[in-house]
Amino acid sequence: MNEKKTDVLINKKEFYRNLTRLALPIALQSLMLASVAAGDALMLGKVAQNEMTAVSLATQIQFVQNMFLSSATAAGAILGAQYYGKGDRHTLEDLFNMTLRFCGIVSVLFFLACELMPELLMHIFTHDAPLIAIGSSYLRIAGWSYLLTGISQCYLTMMKVSDHVKPGALISSCAVLLNIALNAVFIFGLLGAPRMQARGAALATTISRIIELVLCIAVSSGTSYIRPAFDRFFKLPGQLRSDFIKQCLPLMGGSLCWGIGFTSYTAIMGHMGTDAAAANSVAAVVRDLICCMCNGIGSAAGIMVGNELGAGRLDRGRAYGIKLKNISYIIGFLSTGLVLAVTPLVVRMVILTDQARGYLTGMMVIMSFYMIGRCVNTVTINGVLDGGGDTLFDMYSLIVCMWLIAIPLALAGAFVLHLPPLAVYACTCLDEVGKIPWVMARFRKYKWVQDLTRELGP
């Protein structure tokens, strides 16, 4: 499909209105979530470098948990967007049940791990005894928040795909603002509260998660919202379950490849010394903050493409995908400029040693080029391709580009060749930029242009 034909199929005013309506609240939601990590880093950075670094390493446990949760909620979102485009509320309720069952089991397992063996979990990322002690105390409290996260994410996902993206974003934003405020109270001991430092950040996270879940359940009681159908919680259509698993397993494989890969990057940098680990922790927070817009557009892309495909408008769904892919390049170059622009400010904002400050400056410059690939791949793979059910490609590309190229190079650089930390960090950024040509070739095969819905009503 050429560009001219694409423009004919798209009502530009409607397209950009829908993109803005979906992307901005989701981007805000992503920004708010990333702001928690930023708040932790900035506040704990004012206390001590070790406190900041330990919490950054400890939160990698939740990062891995989110890989499992996101695979289930993403599968629910892919199918949910298409069934919502078709107008099938009954199947949306069944999808809600499926995601709740999966996410509930995952949340319980991670909660138990954090409560029963936090020291063992911290040993994965560092051998530094003070960091292990601080991180373990954080995990014992934060583990309770991990128990609730999966449930609230299921509610927020169904809000997103059923045209209630603004309430969902508002709930997340309120929870995050509360988290940041409570961080200040418990980390620094304000308003008569005890000065808990790292443990205070964990307590703030747990309280805010409780409030988030309560709000999700309360808001979803409205008649226009999709809710779990508890009367058939254990009686789900076999064909829908098969379709859910078909989407979920590749997404889980991709999420685990990406999540464990990123955790490996953190572990590699963590073993290169406290200064390198501290700089990497700050750089990761900045990366997550600046990726918020491409995350929003990526999620919006999946919903918009999925709605059109589920409604049987395949040509229009393909035209939407082409337009969104082109927009991803613009967002990528804008993100590159933004990273470079904020580098001087970021370097001055946290308490670091001179060596760590030098590492951080170099990491920010390297990251600016990484952002192009990150934005293009997020929108194209996790948005457009996934929106049409082409979920296997993400896993294949991660296995090749991350696990067969970037991680081996980083490991060799750190532990065999003993390269400087900035050279090792550059190796960890190779995967996103390197796979762009492959992603574009896959996109142009249009395997993602497919209607995934079935007649599954009551």
Side-chain angles (χ1 to χ4, degrees):
M1 179 181 292
N2 58 43
E3 206 72 31
K4 187 175 181 180
K5 187 176 179 181
T6 297
D7 290 338
V8 170
L9 287 169
I10 293 177
N11 181 322
K12 289 187 178 180
K13 185 176 180 180
E14 179 185 2
F15 173 86
Y16 285 111
R17 182 174 64 247
N18 287 337
L19 180 61
T20 303
R21 178 178 61 85
L22 291 169
L24 287 183
I26 296 172
L28 175 62
Q29 186 178 1
S30 181
L31 177 62
M32 290 293 100
L33 292 172
S35 296
V36 174
D40 287 349
L42 289 174
M43 293 180 197
L44 291 171
K46 297 295 183 183
V47 174
Q49 180 171 299
N50 275 359
E51 295 281 329
M52 178 190 71
T53 305
V55 170
S56 176
L57 295 175
T59 53
Q60 295 302 306
I61 302 302
Q62 187 178 28
F63 180 73
V64 174
Q65 180 196 21
N66 284 338
M67 296 304 100
F68 287 96
L69 298 180
S70 66
S71 64
T73 56
I78 290 168
L79 293 172
Q82 295 214 6
Y83 279 106
Y84 186 76
K86 188 178 182 179
D88 188 345
R89 182 185 179 95
H90 186 274
T91 302
L92 283 170
E93 293 172 348
D94 286 336
L95 283 169
F96 203 156
N97 288 342
M98 286 188 191
T99 56
L100 270 178
R101 285 167 56 174
F102 182 91
C103 292
I105 293 171
V106 170
S107 296
V108 169
L109 292 176
F110 274 82
F111 162 73
L112 292 175
C114 289
E115 296 305 313
L116 300 177
M117 50 182 185
E119 292 86 1
L120 182 61
L121 295 177
M122 285 300 299
H123 266 290
I124 298 172
F125 306 106
T126 182
H127 295 309
D128 189 277
L131 295 184
I132 291 173
I134 296 169
S136 297
S137 66
Y138 174 91
L139 287 174
R140 284 194 176 92
I141 299 174
W144 290 93
S145 72
Y146 302 168
L147 188 60
L148 306 175
T149 299
I151 301 173
S152 60
Q153 288 305 305
C154 293
Y155 275 91
L156 293 170
T157 296
M158 283 302 155
M159 289 183 193
K160 183 171 64 177
V161 302
S162 60
D163 208 21
H164 293 99
V165 64
K166 288 183 180 179
L170 181 61
I171 290 171
S172 287
S173 299
C174 289
V176 166
L177 291 174
L178 176 64
N179 195 341
I180 294 172
L182 292 177
N183 270 346
V185 170
F186 293 123
I187 289 174
F188 299 116
L190 305 179
L191 304 177
R195 181 182 169 90
M196 299 175 67
Q197 299 184 356
R199 292 182 298 115
L203 181 59
T205 298
T206 300
I207 294 173
S208 66
R209 289 297 186 186
I210 294 171
I211 300 300
E212 180 182 58
L213 180 56
V214 170
L215 290 174
C216 283
I217 295 173
V219 170
S220 293
S221 63
T223 55
S224 63
Y225 286 79
I226 303 298
R227 293 180 295 279
F230 290 113
D231 59 327
R232 55 180 193 275
F233 193 75
F234 297 103
K235 298 178 182 178
L236 300 173
Q239 187 60 64
L240 182 62
R241 183 164 53 245
S242 176
D243 289 344
F244 181 84
I245 292 172
K246 183 179 178 181
Q247 298 301 323
C248 188
L249 288 181
L251 287 167
M252 187 186 302
S255 292
L256 290 175
C257 284
W258 187 78
I260 297 173
F262 252 87
T263 304
S264 299
Y265 293 158
T266 302
I268 291 168
M269 298 306 300
H271 284 87
M272 296 200 72
T274 303
D275 287 333
N280 184 60
S281 299
V282 177
V285 170
V286 176
R287 178 197 66 219
D288 291 343
L289 286 171
I290 294 179
C291 281
C292 290
M293 182 51 68
C294 77
N295 291 341
I297 293 176
S299 294
I303 295 170
M304 292 172 67
V305 170
N307 285 168
E308 296 301 322
L309 298 177
R313 298 186 288 267
L314 301 187
D315 284 345
R316 194 175 181 191
R318 180 164 62 171
Y320 272 26
I322 293 171
K323 191 76 171 177
L324 290 159
K325 178 261 298 181
N326 294 339
I327 290 173
S328 71
Y329 282 94
I330 298 173
I331 299 300
F333 284 107
L334 289 176
S335 298
T336 293
L338 184 57
V339 170
L340 295 174
V342 302
T343 295
L345 176 64
V346 171
V347 171
R348 291 196 300 266
M349 282 182 67
V350 292
I351 298 174
L352 296 172
T353 65
D354 290 341
Q355 182 71 72
R357 203 178 302 275
Y359 288 153
L360 178 57
T361 301
M363 288 176 182
M364 293 288 284
V365 173
I366 295 168
M367 189 206 305
S368 68
F369 295 97
Y370 160 90
M371 291 303 300
I372 299 171
R374 177 68 179 270
C375 291
V376 170
N377 295 329
T378 296
V379 175
T380 306
I381 300 176
N382 305 122
V384 178
L385 270 61
D386 283 359
D390 187 10
T391 54
L392 273 172
F393 175 74
D394 190 23
M395 183 174 66
Y396 293 154
S397 66
L398 287 166
I399 290 172
V400 173
C401 297
M402 177 179 275
W403 284 93
L404 297 183
I405 298 176
I407 289 178
L409 284 176
L411 286 170
F415 303 114
V416 179
L417 301 176
H418 304 292
L419 297 177
L422 287 181
V424 175
Y425 182 80
C427 292
T428 68
C429 294
L430 286 175
D431 57 319
E432 294 287 0
V433 177
K435 69 183 179 185
I436 289 179
W438 191 12
V439 172
M440 292 301 104
R442 179 72 171 198
F443 177 88
R444 293 188 182 96
K445 291 181 179 178
Y446 299 113
K447 291 185 177 181
W448 50 273
V449 183
Q450 54 182 326
D451 182 353
L452 304 173
T453 65
R454 301 176 188 272
E455 295 299 330
L456 298 168

